[in-house]
Amino acid sequence: MPGGDRGSVTVEAALGIGALTFVSALLLSGIGVAADQLRCTDAAREAARLLARGQPARAEQAVREIAPPGARLDVVREGDAITAGVEAEPVAGLLPGIRLRSRAFAIAEPTADPAAEPGGGP
């Protein structure tokens, strides 16, 4: 029966294009997740550094500017040890159930005491 397969190429092409679109979307989402993870890591590192210097307001500002939108900063202090954690949803929340987390560690810098410096005290 000639012509019985008519239109099957169109269906196969449509399925192929749909599959390619789906794979491309997954690939782009993966690249976006990797980029957002790097942004979280950079933000956590910068926040830990600023917290160690005694600048918590600037640490919050750095997380807002560096990390993905909606990122959250968590700070844990144990003595001189400071751990800054940044958590965010990747790709602006388009991937539900996935959370990006990054942590950075720093030791608080000693505060300058003018009385302890040479010529600073009586």
Side-chain angles (χ1 to χ4, degrees):
M1 183 180 217
D5 289 336
R6 226 172 160 191
S8 64
V9 174
T10 305
V11 171
E12 291 169 359
L15 290 174
I17 290 172
L20 281 175
T21 302
F22 179 72
V23 169
S24 296
L26 283 178
L27 182 63
L28 291 174
S29 295
I31 291 170
V33 167
D36 284 351
Q37 179 63 45
L38 288 174
R39 290 176 67 190
C40 284
T41 302
D42 289 344
R45 185 192 67 227
E46 187 65 20
R49 186 182 69 81
L50 288 167
L51 289 165
R53 294 174 67 190
Q55 300 174 333
R58 293 199 56 196
E60 289 278 346
Q61 179 185 2
V63 169
R64 280 193 307 273
E65 291 178 8
I66 298 171
R72 199 172 51 119
L73 173 65
D74 294 318
V75 179
V76 177
R77 290 180 183 261
E78 294 178 3
D80 284 346
I82 299 169
T83 302
V86 175
E87 185 173 324
E89 291 183 4
V91 196
L94 294 177
L95 299 173
I98 297 177
R99 298 289 294 171
L100 301 176
R101 292 180 186 92
S102 188
R103 296 202 179 288
F105 179 81
I107 300 294
E109 294 181 7
T111 57
D113 182 8
E117 293 185 20

